[in-house]
Amino acid sequence: MARKNVDLPQVEGGGRMIRVEVLGPFAVRRDGVEVPLGPPQQRALLAALVLAEGVPLSAAALAAEIWEGEAPASAVPVIRKYVHHLRRLLGDELTVESSRRGYALTLAPGTLDADTFADAVRAAERARAGGDPDTAGDRLREALALWRGPALSGVTGPGVDRHRTVLDGRHLAARRSLLEVDLELGREQRILPELRSLVDTHPLDEHLRLLLMTALYRDGRQADAIAAYQECRKLLRDELGVDPGPRLRELYGRILHADETLLAAPAASSAPAQIPAPSAAFVGREEELRRMDALSAGGVVVISGMAGVGKTTLALHGAHRIADRFGDGHLYADLHGFGPGGEPTPPGEILDRFLQALGVAPADVPGDLAVRAGLFRTLTTGRRLLILLDNAAGADQVRDLLPGAGPALTVITSRGTLPTLLARVGARPLVLRPPDDEEALALLVARVGADRTRAEPVAAREIVARTGGLPLALAVVAARAVTQVHLPLSAIAAELRAAHGTLDAFAGADDEVRAVLSWSYRALEPEAACALRVLGAHPGPDVSVAAAASMLALPEPHTRTLLRALVAAALLVEHRPGRFAAHDLVRAFAAGLPWSGDQERREAVHRLLDHCLHTACEAAMAVFTARPRIPLPPALPGVVVSAPSPDAATWFADEYPVLLAAHDLAHRDGFGGHAWRLAWALRDFLSRQGLWHHLQTSQQLGLAAAQRLGDRLAEAHCRRGLALVEANLGRYSAAREQLRQAAEGFDAAGAVEFLAETHRFQIWVLDCAGDHEPQLELAERLLETYPPGTAASYRASALNSVSWSEIRLGRFGPALAHARAALASGEGLGPYSLADTWHTLGSAQAGLGDHEAAELSFTRSAEVYLRVGAHALAAVALRTLGDVHRDAGRHDQADAAYRRALAAAGGSDDPRAAAISAELAVYRT
């Protein structure tokens, strides 16, 4: 349950403000300063008077509240002494009255936090009865935010146990009520983690079990809902010998029969905006754009046409023209249906991304494809969404990606017309043909300039004719004209004529483009032509100068010259400084160019993988300094090993799509050693960025390679990575099992440092699972393995683990000392460890009430997280900073911190970001 810092109303007495707190550690505060209440029995006596609600308690009744068993003979004088001391401590603000009936304490309205809690719960009940669930939810959150831990912490005695049971029961009832409200509002994804936790804590509570089953069913997880019922039935029979009650049995029957009336409308979430910006080079297509403009009512449109005709360019321009009509968000996916090499992107992977963009937590994404597709349809029904599915291979690839009924518009681009969709879902076709002669001529004019085309109108028209008017082919030819300004257009037209004759003679859909690419390839200088052929083995999506130099075994400056020659020929684009990409057709053309032999290609791929592996490992060690290093085989001659510093985290953010593609290439081409080592290098970056689908795939590929090699140590590394996947998805038992097998492998290999790293991760899993006592015990054992003066970065990480474990147990003083010791390592900390440790220090300082110091620590933590692109983690730090400001009464600064946190979460693809944004809606003042 997200906590919201709520200031209790404070009651004036004798010119001072006082409040009494029982919803957590028992305390009395005067002007915000805690009043010392004396020894345990005196505290228990005061708690009994507070909770008696003004009813007098006799000395005998108070004795029964304070002492176990029979009260001592001196009980009455001792009670009189306690009352005397309390009157002196509390002064005029809280007066203990005495009478023949006993002692009584009457509190002014608003003094006791339990009264404020009860008032807020009653206000929620009234709002809910009046049909206003949003207000009801707000009041319940305010009520629950008053709780600071278990009721009456720090008070002992037989009486307090009875009061604690009553208060904790009210707390649970309020939590159940809020869960019911959130279910009414369609927020099942948000509440499922809390529901699971509550059911684990109260396994025989049928009301909670009913809520869990309902939420699971509405989330598209019918099988899990049924399993929850069967688990409850077994527990009730084993523990009590009874069957579930009628309400639970009725719900079970409705779920078995897939009762659609159980489904609720989804809650609104922050609108995704994924569609890329359109290209600036766009001319004409006015009729097609008008047809797209007319699609506001929703439906499905299929933009089809031959390769290079401009389908994606049209779709992007048209989508941005009408995007403001679809206020519930814009989703985009490149399906890679006709990319060179590899397979089209599976629909399940796209659904995973879309569901997370729509606010589904990664742990709650259904594993079964049909269930996942059903959940997507449920979440999109009735919403004004614009969905662009680019480069589809066929109808089967997109069938499960279509939204539910309603005003959503889905735009699909494909080389085929997808007739199945036209027949089954009434998709509207938009067949894109090559531009007519005048429009194609306008494209050429836009690229080479009006002066040259006016000077040679006949040649310009011949170029248009011989490229078939295809935009991609025109771009390639125009690039030649622009880079060789001395060459007349008539000479270029003559070269096209001599090379292939009339391109219209080719019947294949791609022949115009292939013919022009062949012509352009033959016009290259030999070294540039060789570079294009070698780069055809690169898996994409783009290539850096260092990677290209490694493949070519050439120095970087010379490689840069060759790459720019390919840019000049319109065969590559430098889409970002130092990073080069090609159209899929160019990549396919290059991949089909002949090699002198298989060995030549394998060596080029080997050099590329060596470059990726060695550079990624250097970056991983720079960013995650507490990781022990794995040994690497030497790189082949000619490989460039780039030093990613000073900002290795930024390098990872730029390079990880290439590393993933290279990892897949290593797997496919049988480079097993590269496959498991790349999985190791990618592990922590993918986890910190929330790229858990990629993390899982990479570790599974690495594990398969390790098992083929029979390398048990490599297998242990990959199991350590898979444990990270399981823990991130909330599957802690599975994470523990993977860690157990990893630890066995490291132990058998004598890999002491990696075994210690596994223990560090076990500490984190215990933290996530809420097992804080064993968490601290393991952290302290880990710290003992790194005494002062040894392995600074490892010791700093262990110190931070101990500090955080102490914070989780409320031991803020020792936590502060350990966090400061970790920061004292200075240069030994990588950026993520540094940000983590600043966050830990801030948490300790906040726990001790040092708001100004905590503010500085959380600010520093957020700054480092933002610098390395960990926006979701930065949002957590900023949210906590807002809490610190609120605790200190600085509400304007708190609100500013919450706004910054929302902005950070909104700029993240991390699957945690949606949940953080939802929580921040509660935290805002």
Side-chain angles (χ1 to χ4, degrees):
M1 175 66 62
R3 289 190 55 206
K4 180 181 178 182
N5 297 311
V6 175
D7 290 329
L8 280 170
Q10 294 180 320
V11 179
E12 188 170 354
R16 309 180 84 175
M17 310 297 286
I18 196 155
R19 69 180 183 185
V20 180
E21 299 172 349
V22 297
L23 306 181
F26 179 55
V28 175
R29 300 183 190 276
R30 180 186 290 118
D31 292 340
V33 178
E34 186 170 349
V35 177
L37 297 177
Q41 289 173 339
Q42 185 170 298
R43 293 171 63 85
L45 184 148
L46 178 60
L49 291 173
V50 167
L51 294 166
E53 299 179 349
V55 176
L57 297 178
S58 66
L62 286 171
E65 294 280 333
I66 298 172
W67 285 285
E68 293 279 359
E70 187 175 349
S74 60
V76 172
V78 168
I79 288 172
R80 287 200 196 102
K81 182 181 71 172
Y82 287 159
V83 170
H84 172 74
H85 288 165
L86 286 170
R87 284 171 174 162
R88 181 171 53 82
L89 288 169
L90 300 174
D92 295 335
E93 293 93 353
L94 290 176
T95 303
V96 180
E97 303 285 350
S98 58
S99 67
R100 286 181 302 172
R101 297 173 60 196
Y103 299 96
L105 178 66
T106 302
L107 301 177
T111 305
L112 181 64
D113 59 355
D115 290 343
T116 309
F117 169 80
D119 289 344
V121 170
R122 283 191 289 270
E125 291 170 350
R126 289 193 297 271
R128 196 172 175 192
D132 187 357
D134 286 301
T135 298
D138 289 342
R139 298 294 82 77
L140 285 166
R141 289 184 182 90
E142 290 171 5
L144 290 166
L146 296 169
W147 285 76
R148 297 165 291 108
L152 294 165
S153 299
V155 183
T156 58
V160 76
D161 291 335
R162 294 191 299 274
H163 294 302
R164 184 179 289 122
T165 299
V166 171
L167 289 170
D168 286 343
R170 293 173 184 169
H171 182 230
L172 179 60
R175 292 180 72 181
R176 282 192 303 221
S177 295
L178 180 56
L179 291 166
E180 290 172 349
V181 168
D182 282 336
L183 265 180
E184 289 175 24
L185 295 171
R187 296 169 179 161
E188 47 271 3
Q189 291 92 14
R190 186 191 303 178
I191 66 174
L192 269 169
E194 183 184 4
L195 264 174
R196 284 199 194 91
S197 176
L198 280 174
V199 168
D200 288 343
T201 307
H202 307 278
L204 299 180
D205 189 318
E206 293 191 38
H207 192 168
L208 287 173
R209 188 75 60 162
L210 184 143
L211 296 177
L212 175 62
M213 290 168 59
T214 304
L216 287 168
Y217 180 72
R218 289 182 180 177
D219 196 38
R221 301 166 65 177
Q222 183 184 26
D224 290 342
I226 291 170
Y229 173 83
Q230 292 169 340
E231 178 188 47
C232 180
R233 180 173 59 185
K234 183 177 186 303
L235 282 169
L236 287 169
R237 286 178 175 176
D238 291 348
E239 298 287 333
L240 305 176
V242 298
D243 285 326
R247 291 184 64 206
L248 209 58
R249 293 200 305 271
E250 179 194 5
L251 176 64
Y252 176 58
R254 293 174 69 186
I255 290 173
L256 281 177
H257 292 90
D259 187 343
E260 293 186 4
T261 63
L262 287 174
L263 298 176
S269 61
S270 55
Q274 299 181 340
I275 296 177
S279 166
F282 188 79
V283 174
R285 300 296 193 191
E286 292 301 327
E287 175 57 30
E288 289 86 354
L289 288 172
R290 277 194 294 272
R291 289 178 62 185
M292 288 193 70
D293 286 345
L295 297 172
S296 299
V300 180
V301 61
V302 178
I303 302 176
S304 61
M306 64 194 303
V309 78
K311 299 182 293 295
T312 298
T313 302
L314 172 66
L316 291 175
H317 274 271
H320 278 277
R321 281 169 56 127
I322 60 176
D324 60 351
R325 306 174 195 172
F326 297 89
D328 289 329
H330 315 135
L331 300 173
Y332 170 83
D334 184 348
L335 305 182
H336 300 290
F338 294 92
E343 296 294 328
T345 306
E349 181 177 328
I350 303 299
L351 281 171
D352 193 0
R353 299 179 204 165
F354 282 179
L355 288 172
Q356 291 184 31
L358 293 171
V360 179
D364 294 330
V365 173
D368 181 79
L369 176 60
V371 179
R372 195 178 301 185
L375 176 59
F376 178 66
R377 288 191 293 272
T378 299
L379 291 177
T380 53
T381 294
R383 298 177 69 176
R384 291 197 64 79
L385 287 163
L386 176 58
I387 304 171
L388 175 50
L389 304 175
D390 194 20
N391 197 11
D396 288 344
Q397 192 185 16
V398 300
R399 183 179 60 249
D400 290 324
L401 305 178
L402 300 180
L409 172 64
T410 305
V411 179
I412 304 169
T413 72
S414 178
R415 295 190 192 178
T417 58
L418 310 187
T420 303
L421 291 185
L422 305 184
R424 291 187 179 177
V425 301
R428 283 162 285 185
L430 200 168
V431 180
L432 199 60
R433 306 189 187 285
D436 61 30
D437 289 348
E438 295 307 314
E439 201 169 78
L441 185 61
L443 277 172
L444 184 64
V445 170
R447 291 181 176 275
V448 304
D451 291 344
R452 290 183 73 179
T453 53
R454 274 198 301 266
E456 297 185 88
V458 175
R461 289 190 177 277
E462 184 177 0
I463 289 172
V464 167
R466 294 193 179 280
T467 58
L470 278 176
L472 177 61
L474 277 169
V476 173
V477 176
R480 178 90 185 279
V482 170
T483 56
Q484 299 184 1
V485 292
H486 63 282
L487 200 63
L489 294 183
S490 57
I492 294 175
E495 288 183 15
L496 284 170
R497 191 186 318 125
H500 293 290
T502 302
L503 295 180
D504 289 341
F506 293 88
D510 303 338
D511 283 337
E512 287 89 344
V513 178
R514 289 198 182 103
V516 171
L517 291 175
S518 297
W519 164 81
S520 182
Y521 174 68
R522 285 195 292 272
L524 293 170
E525 294 293 330
E527 260 199 310
C530 177
L532 182 66
R533 174 175 57 82
V534 172
L535 293 177
H538 191 283
D542 61 3
V543 62
S544 66
V545 176
S550 298
M551 295 189 76
L552 297 167
L554 291 172
E556 288 185 79
H558 189 50
T559 301
R560 188 176 286 106
T561 300
L562 294 176
L563 291 171
R564 287 179 176 160
L566 295 174
V567 170
L571 297 170
L572 294 181
V573 292
E574 190 172 5
H575 67 110
R576 290 170 53 200
R579 303 196 71 85
F580 299 81
H583 188 283
D584 282 349
L585 283 172
V586 176
R587 291 177 58 208
F589 174 81
L593 293 170
W595 294 79
S596 60
D598 289 343
Q599 186 61 26
E600 182 192 9
R601 181 189 179 279
R602 188 166 181 82
E603 287 176 359
V605 170
H606 195 157
R607 288 193 297 270
L608 170 66
L609 295 177
D610 278 353
H611 161 77
C612 292
L613 175 61
H614 282 260
T615 310
C617 285
E618 289 300 317
M621 296 310 301
V623 177
F624 307 104
T625 56
R627 294 184 69 177
R629 183 186 292 268
I630 61 170
L632 298 179
L636 291 180
V639 171
V640 177
V641 179
S642 308
S645 57
D647 198 350
T650 299
W651 179 89
F652 255 129
D654 289 340
E655 201 72 25
Y656 84 86
V658 174
L659 296 175
L660 291 171
H663 191 203
D664 185 64
L665 177 65
H667 172 71
R668 285 187 284 110
D669 278 23
F671 289 91
H674 290 82
W676 78 258
R677 291 182 177 93
L678 277 169
W680 178 90
L682 283 161
R683 185 191 73 200
D684 286 1
F685 173 79
L686 295 176
S687 176
R688 289 300 190 123
Q689 296 296 317
L691 300 168
W692 298 333
H693 171 80
H694 292 308
L695 175 63
Q696 183 173 26
T697 301
S698 67
Q699 300 307 307
Q700 288 171 338
L701 291 181
L703 179 62
Q707 290 173 332
R708 282 197 303 272
L709 293 169
D711 188 334
R712 190 175 179 190
L713 180 59
E715 183 178 337
H717 281 296
C718 297
R719 290 199 180 280
R720 163 70 174 78
L722 286 170
L724 192 54
V725 176
E726 301 292 0
N728 278 324
L729 295 177
R731 300 192 288 252
Y732 303 122
S733 296
R736 287 183 176 127
E737 175 57 22
Q738 292 288 1
L739 287 170
R740 183 191 66 77
Q741 295 188 54
E744 287 180 356
F746 290 135
D747 192 33
V752 178
E753 289 184 339
F754 292 112
L755 184 60
E757 185 198 29
T758 304
H759 291 327
R760 278 200 296 274
F761 187 55
Q762 287 172 324
I763 293 167
W764 184 70
V765 172
L766 288 169
D767 181 44
C768 294
D771 296 337
H772 302 309
E773 290 284 0
Q775 170 190 345
L776 176 58
E777 185 180 326
L778 185 56
E780 288 172 336
R781 289 207 309 269
L782 178 65
L783 182 58
E784 290 172 0
T785 66
Y786 300 114
T790 64
S793 62
Y794 299 164
R795 178 169 174 78
S797 178
L799 283 164
N800 187 51
S801 294
V802 171
S803 179
W804 182 250
S805 303
E806 289 167 332
I807 287 169
R808 301 291 269 176
L809 291 167
R811 303 172 188 175
F812 300 113
L816 184 70
H818 283 120
R820 284 174 172 165
L823 283 171
S825 300
E827 295 298 323
L829 290 170
Y832 284 101
S833 295
L834 180 63
D836 292 346
T837 309
W838 277 118
H839 193 282
T840 301
L841 179 64
S843 300
Q845 292 162 334
L848 292 168
D850 190 349
H851 295 139
E852 291 187 5
E855 173 190 345
L856 178 61
S857 296
F858 286 125
T859 300
R860 288 176 172 171
S861 174
E863 288 171 350
V864 178
Y865 281 137
L866 288 171
R867 191 168 67 241
V868 298
H871 295 283
L873 297 176
V876 173
L878 290 165
R879 179 187 64 191
T880 315
L881 172 62
D883 294 346
V884 171
H885 282 309
R886 290 200 61 160
D887 283 346
R890 299 188 289 265
H891 296 288
D892 289 343
Q893 291 168 275
D895 205 44
Y898 293 144
R899 283 196 296 270
R900 289 180 62 201
L902 272 170
S908 174
D909 292 330
D910 191 311
R912 293 166 288 201
I916 294 168
S917 296
E919 289 178 13
L920 284 166
V922 176
Y923 276 67
R924 291 289 304 279
T925 57

